[in-house]
Amino acid sequence: MIITFRIQYHTTWGESLCVCIDEKTVVELSTADGYCWQGQTDYHPDAPATFITYRYIVRRENHNIRQEFGMLPHTLYLSAGDDSCYLVQDNWRDLPSASYRFSSAFCNANTCQPADTIPQISCNTRIVFRVLCPLNKKKEGVLGITGNCNVLGNWGKTALLCMFEIQPNVWQLTLDAATLPPSFEYKYAIVNPENGTVIEWEAHDNRRMTPPSLQPGETYIAPEEEIFFASEKYKVAGSAIPVFSLRSEGSYGVGDFGDLKTFIRWAADTHQHAVQVLPINDTTMTGTWTDSYPYSSISIYAFHPMYVDLRQLPSLQDKEAAATFEQKRTELNALPQVDYEAVNQWKRAYLKAVFQQEQESILSSEGYQAFFQENAEWLRPYAAFCYLRDHFHTPDFHQWQAYSTYQPEFAEQLCAPENEAYPETSFHCFVQYLLHIQLLDACNYGREQGVIVKGDIPIGISRTSVEAWIEPYYFNMNGQAGAPPDAFSTKGQNWGMPTYNWKVMEKDNYQWWQRRFRKMADYFTAYRIDHILGFFRIWEIPTHSVHGLLGQFVPALPMSAEEIESYGLHFQKEFMTRPFINDAMLDSMFGEKSQEVRNTFVQHSHHDIYTLRPEFDTQRKIESYFARQENPDNDLKEGLYALVSNVLFIPDRDNPEMYHPRIAVQNDFIYTRLSQQEKDAFNRLYNDYYYRRHNEFWYQEAMKKLPILTQSTSMLVCGEDLGMVPDCVPWVMEQLQILSLEIQRMPKNPEDEFGHVYAYPFRSVCTIGTHDMSTFRGWWEEDRDVASRFFYHELGHWGELPEHAPDWLCEDVIRRHLYSPSMLCILTWQDWTSMDETLRNPDIAIERINVPANPKHYWRWRMHMSLESLMKQDAFNDKIRRMIDESGR
């Protein structure tokens, strides 16, 4: 059959356009004006009636430079014989104009008509209508069409024509062109398939088509159209809570996946349609409470064993042991916070006991065997890693002797039944199987209840993780990922994780990330990309640093000495790139301890200038020195850290003759040594570097990765776009339709003290606070002047400023968020409960989940009431229902 493709698309000189059919046949297009493109192919499908998919690609010198992206390629159902001719009219399409409608958050997988059930029309000429429309939420109807002519039913006077869903959310209908007038109007509707009557009309004016003149045997394929219906509602409200924070009467001192299912039930009962959790991956490294940090996992696939709901497992036959475990469960569950070490010790012991009792039946079951085979690629290395971590008493695989450099046969051998390690490796696989079926059950329940379950993808991995062990080529192990200074931390954040080797990842089309996203899609229908700025550039800190001030963006465009001087700043390498230390500075910073600093940590250079002694010239060396002290002076240590970072420029990590201005250096002593003219020149350079220089560069970097990754699954994509956000970030998020994060106390406009809730974009997630912030009640008490401006100016209240945030004030703030334009309004559970003074926790401080400025924070917050009690709070739950319903969510 002959297929002719036509498309209007602006290109620049040297660019050409082509079509790739079914990822194997390339059709070159030609143009006379650089706008109207056309090409033809004699295509022979494998069957007389078949589906084909295709995408348009822009090329330059036979190299692909961009192509259409999106989960939905163009789709055609071809039903005619080999002598047919198809004239395809298209528009370039990256994503549908409202791609969120097609996400699994709002759209379940459809059952499409088999090809042999779609009727084939025998006529000389045909017209094919193509529509993109998710209809699964309206199970009582299908998509139909009517119009102002007889064949189209004269606007519903006769039964509407039903369309056929040839692919999920892709509809098509073929009509005899001879029965249609040269020009006609039409409209789409949801149709009762039994009698053809209209259930609902599309929210669109009448459409008009004037198809081209067709020769016998030709079929005209009309451009795709996206259909909307007025009854569609996509604004939802929900709750955010870590799984470990859930509390039920039967949980084991920590939330589990059974509790998650119960929480989803509460959310659905209160008319919420979203539940958001923190990362749930295994973080077990040391077995101590420091493993409680959920953003540093040992596996991007494996879940944390503490999330197994023990109530769903077979009862222990050893009654004495069962009684001991129950007693310990009662003790741990009564604690106000998670005792991470005790919880994991006892839950692991219980899982071991169940495994020894049930392993033969479970490991031989069809369910387990299917799970193992489908996940063996990551499951075997994970089980081997866990065994070796416990065997060598360290997660640092560099200390694993013969196993320090990964070989694929290691995992095979250690997971083989005849190997002495098998009892341990099979135990870890067994636990992952339990976690899989329990999380899947909870998330499937969410789908049934219409509740979006939103996961969280951390930007980094641990440098002592399975992935760092088996795939080290994907990472830069000589750097530390973090964040530049912001409202959370004035010294920046150092997460300690390796950064990504994007050049290597690009070579296989980011398969590492695609696999990670697809695994999440087995469970979740939406996800949050933690620190989405990392896909544009990451703040990389050298391994010799503790704080984040000495970092640099990677990738970035460093400056040469000549370029620095072009701003009017005389470049002095010795003075500007090495820590500046003089007597006045030491006296000011250290006071009575200044002489101790002179005697121990610095050495005299000349005049009143000092340099750091070699044994203290990095922050890690200083950290190591104080770690050996019995009673370390932390103030002195922090002061010495500040000496190390007192530089104006930082040499580039790859080319030491190129430089980056040090972030936030205007707050340090070296900046005060500049003349006013030098300060002005430096600030011009600084502002250009951090706010203008990289916009196009970082845009291109993000567009290499994010289109591929965000379209690798059908999950709804949300980005955490807080911090030092370049102008190019909103460009990319708008183009890829990624939901932004809006927080009133962290406004996107630097001229605003508070964000304006009523002006939030529709494609956004609005919230009062995140896990990295204090609750609203906690924030209210941090700064009375700020609270006063928020109370009087932003909220418009009058009267006396409350000392503590009363319930009516919390309710007012929540209502404003519910009425915002944001698609998702997801509030922390603590903020929901703040509007009921009889219900909320009287201890405000204990409700904070994390303090980002503290890298050793203990993540242990728990609900102060059980889920069973929460479900019985009729007045509170009814208030949430009414508030959500009244806001139209």
Side-chain angles (χ1 to χ4, degrees):
M1 59 182 66
I2 304 298
I3 305 178
T4 301
F5 294 94
R6 290 178 179 173
I7 187 172
Q8 293 179 332
Y9 183 82
H10 278 294
T11 55
T12 59
W13 180 258
E15 293 180 344
S16 62
L17 212 60
C18 66
V19 182
C20 183
I21 305 175
D22 292 336
E23 299 185 356
K24 59 184 180 181
T25 302
V26 176
V27 182
E28 301 288 345
L29 307 184
S30 60
T31 181
D33 59 4
Y35 178 62
C36 297
W37 293 83
Q38 179 171 312
Q40 193 175 86
T41 182
D42 186 0
Y43 189 73
H44 298 282
D46 298 331
T50 188
F51 299 108
I52 69 166
T53 61
Y54 61 94
R55 296 182 191 269
Y56 289 92
I57 299 173
V58 178
R59 286 183 164 185
R60 184 187 294 274
E61 297 178 353
N62 294 323
H63 295 289
N64 296 351
I65 59 173
R66 63 181 174 275
Q67 68 176 30
E68 294 179 303
F69 54 79
M71 285 293 291
L72 298 173
H74 300 280
T75 306
L76 284 178
Y77 173 72
L78 305 179
S79 59
D82 289 343
D83 57 347
S84 300
C85 295
Y86 288 84
L87 176 58
V88 182
Q89 187 69 51
D90 271 319
N91 299 310
W92 180 281
R93 175 172 57 78
D94 287 327
L95 293 170
S97 62
S99 64
Y100 56 87
R101 301 168 65 236
F102 299 85
S103 71
S104 56
F106 300 110
C107 176
N108 297 328
N110 295 32
T111 302
C112 307
Q113 286 97 333
D116 57 7
T117 67
I118 301 176
Q120 301 184 39
I121 298 177
S122 298
C123 53
N124 281 334
T125 56
R126 305 171 186 82
I127 292 179
V128 177
F129 296 83
R130 293 187 291 171
V131 172
L132 303 177
C133 181
L135 275 190
N136 57 290
K137 297 297 183 185
K138 303 177 177 63
K139 298 178 181 178
E140 71 276 10
V142 298
L143 195 65
I145 185 172
T146 187
N148 64 348
C149 56
N150 290 334
V151 70
L152 292 179
N154 287 314
W155 295 123
K157 291 181 180 179
T158 60
L160 274 68
L161 299 176
C162 294
M163 303 190 74
F164 298 91
E165 193 174 18
I166 63 170
Q167 293 288 306
N169 311 312
V170 179
W171 302 78
Q172 190 167 305
L173 179 65
T174 303
L175 296 179
D176 183 348
T179 63
L180 292 164
S183 181
F184 55 90
E185 293 185 354
Y186 62 101
K187 203 164 190 173
Y188 297 101
I190 302 174
V191 177
N192 184 324
E194 300 298 326
N195 55 29
T197 57
V198 174
I199 297 173
E200 182 181 357
W201 293 97
E202 66 165 311
H204 196 282
D205 294 335
N206 292 348
R207 300 173 184 270
R208 177 178 293 275
M209 184 183 294
T210 304
S213 298
L214 300 176
Q215 299 300 315
E218 286 188 334
T219 298
Y220 173 65
I221 311 292
E224 295 166 325
E225 298 175 294
E226 190 174 350
I227 308 304
F228 297 84
F229 292 93
S231 64
E232 295 177 336
K233 295 186 182 298
Y234 295 101
K235 288 179 62 177
V236 304
S239 294
I241 192 166
V243 175
F244 63 76
S245 299
L246 297 171
R247 179 194 294 270
S248 67
E249 293 174 2
S251 52
Y252 214 106
V254 68
D256 55 46
F257 288 156
D259 294 334
L260 175 60
K261 185 175 181 178
T262 305
F263 190 81
I264 292 170
R265 185 182 305 127
W266 170 77
D269 182 60
T270 53
H271 297 186
Q272 299 180 64
H273 291 279
V275 168
Q276 177 176 321
V277 299
L278 292 184
I280 51 176
N281 297 95
D282 190 359
T283 58
T284 308
M285 294 185 217
T286 65
T288 67
W289 67 265
T290 59
D291 296 345
S292 66
Y293 178 40
Y295 286 89
S296 182
S297 66
I298 62 167
S299 170
I300 60 174
Y301 301 108
F303 301 129
H304 202 301
M306 72 179 177
Y307 294 130
V308 173
D309 180 3
L310 302 182
R311 292 161 291 187
Q312 299 183 40
L313 306 185
S315 300
L316 289 179
Q317 296 169 2
D318 185 335
K319 300 304 180 183
E320 185 177 343
T324 301
F325 280 117
E326 176 59 20
Q327 179 184 352
K328 184 54 65 173
R329 185 199 69 78
T330 303
E331 294 173 5
L332 292 172
N333 212 33
L335 297 176
Q337 294 179 299
V338 177
D339 184 336
Y340 183 91
E341 295 175 11
V343 159
N344 280 279
Q345 174 189 342
W346 283 94
K347 289 195 81 167
R348 180 186 172 99
Y350 191 99
L351 288 167
K352 280 272 190 179
V354 172
F355 178 66
Q356 291 169 3
Q357 176 182 295
E358 305 288 337
Q359 62 177 311
E360 186 173 339
S361 60
I362 291 180
L363 297 186
S364 61
S365 67
E366 290 185 9
Y368 174 82
Q369 289 296 319
F371 168 77
F372 186 87
Q373 293 303 320
E374 291 171 7
N375 297 276
E377 185 178 2
W378 67 264
L379 191 57
R380 282 196 186 104
Y382 165 76
F385 180 96
C386 292
Y387 168 76
L388 293 169
R389 173 201 62 201
D390 297 342
H391 178 76
F392 288 102
H393 306 291
T394 177
D396 184 359
F397 47 84
H398 297 100
Q399 300 181 40
W400 290 354
Q401 300 173 13
Y403 295 100
S404 60
T405 301
Y406 178 76
Q407 300 294 332
E409 54 268 24
F410 292 168
E412 294 276 353
Q413 294 167 357
L414 294 173
C415 292
E418 63 275 11
N419 194 288
E420 63 178 10
Y422 182 71
E424 287 297 318
T425 56
S426 59
F427 167 72
H428 295 298
C429 296
F430 159 78
V431 172
Q432 289 304 310
Y433 172 62
L434 299 178
L435 291 160
H436 162 73
I437 58 177
Q438 291 184 6
L439 179 60
L440 190 62
D441 177 60
C443 292
N444 283 342
Y445 178 75
R447 289 182 173 90
E448 294 168 6
Q449 298 298 313
V451 175
I452 298 166
V453 184
K454 181 182 175 188
D456 195 341
I457 295 186
I459 185 61
I461 66 152
S462 170
R463 59 181 61 249
T464 54
S465 65
V466 179
E467 285 72 37
W469 182 42
I470 70 175
E471 301 168 311
Y473 42 84
Y474 281 136
F475 311 101
N476 295 315
M477 304 302 289
N478 58 351
Q480 304 173 102
D486 58 17
F488 293 142
S489 177
T490 57
K491 298 173 183 175
Q493 298 178 45
N494 185 348
W495 305 325
M497 304 165 182
T499 56
Y500 293 106
N501 189 335
W502 291 113
K503 291 181 179 178
V504 171
M505 289 186 161
E506 185 179 5
K507 292 179 181 178
D508 64 6
N509 210 30
Y510 309 101
Q511 286 300 318
W512 187 88
W513 279 99
Q514 291 197 60
R515 293 193 302 268
R516 185 179 188 183
F517 280 37
R518 286 194 291 267
K519 176 63 175 175
M520 283 198 71
D522 290 343
Y523 312 97
F524 301 106
T525 52
Y527 65 97
R528 167 189 179 269
I529 301 179
D530 169 50
H531 194 66
I532 197 172
L533 303 183
F535 291 91
F536 295 74
R537 79 293 184 273
I538 197 71
W539 188 248
E540 186 175 283
I541 304 160
T543 52
H544 58 68
S545 292
V546 175
H547 291 157
L549 292 175
L550 290 175
Q552 58 188 255
F553 286 125
V554 176
L557 303 171
M559 294 178 162
S560 66
E562 292 74 19
E563 187 177 6
I564 292 171
E565 296 199 337
S566 72
Y567 283 86
L569 180 67
H570 177 56
F571 183 69
Q572 306 168 65
K573 183 174 180 178
E574 291 291 322
F575 166 63
M576 294 180 171
T577 65
R578 297 182 181 178
F580 175 78
I581 307 170
N582 68 2
D583 279 318
M585 180 179 170
L586 293 175
D587 292 338
S588 174
M589 290 181 63
F590 299 98
E592 61 183 18
K593 299 176 185 175
S594 62
Q595 195 56 46
E596 179 185 351
V597 173
R598 290 185 181 92
N599 295 339
T600 306
F601 301 102
V602 301
Q603 57 191 13
H604 185 258
S605 176
H606 59 86
H607 298 93
D608 66 339
I609 304 300
Y610 298 83
T611 60
L612 288 159
R613 295 180 184 273
E615 60 269 33
F616 301 112
D617 60 1
T618 73
Q619 291 180 345
R620 289 295 179 198
K621 291 179 181 179
I622 294 168
E623 179 186 51
S624 178
Y625 171 81
F626 281 92
R628 297 191 298 269
Q629 306 302 307
E630 187 171 338
N631 296 301
D633 186 334
N634 288 324
D635 290 338
L636 179 59
K637 179 178 68 174
E638 290 294 326
L640 293 170
Y641 286 167
L643 286 185
V644 175
S645 60
N646 190 42
V647 297
L648 206 62
F649 288 94
I650 297 170
D652 182 66
R653 69 165 191 178
D654 297 322
N655 184 351
E657 296 304 315
M658 303 289 283
Y659 306 94
H660 307 263
R662 208 217 77 188
I663 192 80
V665 72
Q666 291 89 340
N667 300 320
D668 277 3
F669 275 94
I670 191 168
Y671 180 77
T672 65
R673 302 292 295 180
L674 302 178
S675 68
Q676 188 58 51
Q677 181 179 355
E678 289 173 324
K679 289 177 181 177
D680 293 341
F682 179 81
N683 288 336
R684 285 195 303 272
L685 174 154
Y686 185 95
N687 291 332
D688 277 347
Y689 178 90
Y690 281 110
Y691 300 106
R692 289 180 284 272
R693 180 183 184 87
H694 294 94
N695 272 321
E696 183 60 30
F697 177 67
W698 285 337
Y699 169 82
Q700 296 297 339
E701 287 296 316
M703 291 301 290
K704 290 179 185 177
K705 317 173 186 87
L706 285 174
I708 297 170
L709 304 184
T710 57
Q711 298 306 311
S712 62
T713 76
S714 60
M715 293 186 290
L716 181 68
V717 189
C718 310
E720 184 264 295
D721 56 336
L722 304 178
M724 191 175 182
V725 181
D727 289 345
C728 60
V729 173
W731 306 346
V732 171
M733 294 183 71
E734 176 66 22
Q735 188 171 348
L736 302 184
Q737 301 185 36
I738 300 171
L739 274 62
S740 63
L741 179 59
E742 306 296 333
I743 302 176
Q744 195 167 21
R745 56 182 122 152
M746 292 190 69
K748 298 289 176 63
N749 186 343
E751 296 180 359
D752 294 331
E753 183 176 15
F754 307 108
H756 303 305
V757 176
Y758 58 82
Y760 286 166
F762 170 67
R763 278 201 298 266
S764 69
V765 181
C766 76
T767 189
I768 297 171
T770 73
H771 62 274
D772 280 331
M773 306 167 72
S774 53
T775 63
F776 178 75
R777 288 195 296 152
W779 173 77
W780 184 261
E781 302 191 2
E782 289 173 0
D783 189 320
R784 194 158 181 82
D785 290 336
V786 173
S788 174
R789 291 193 295 273
F790 182 74
F791 184 74
Y792 294 118
H793 300 154
E794 185 62 30
L795 299 184
H797 289 299
W798 55 277
E800 185 178 353
L801 182 71
E803 181 179 356
H804 307 291
D807 53 2
W808 61 263
L809 176 61
C810 298
E811 181 178 333
D812 180 29
V813 173
I814 290 173
R815 284 188 182 276
R816 292 170 190 253
H817 281 74
L818 289 174
Y819 280 90
S820 77
S822 297
M823 182 191 305
L824 305 184
C825 174
I826 301 181
L827 310 179
T828 64
W829 185 79
Q830 304 96 297
D831 283 334
W832 276 115
T833 56
S834 69
M835 63 179 181
D836 188 325
E837 294 194 18
T838 65
L839 192 66
R840 65 193 194 182
N841 194 330
D843 188 343
I844 297 175
I846 205 173
E847 287 196 315
R848 178 150 191 178
I849 298 173
N850 179 43
V851 179
N854 178 10
K856 297 295 185 182
H857 181 79
Y858 192 169
W859 298 62
R860 61 187 313 199
W861 169 72
R862 293 189 80 194
M863 299 169 62
H864 62 286
M865 68 174 67
S866 69
L867 289 165
E868 291 85 353
S869 175
L870 178 64
M871 299 284 279
K872 296 175 183 177
Q873 303 299 320
D874 295 338
F876 174 69
N877 293 331
D878 189 54
K879 175 183 277 192
I880 293 178
R881 286 187 208 101
R882 290 198 314 272
M883 290 173 67
I884 290 174
D885 293 347
E886 290 167 1
S887 68
R889 292 190 178 271

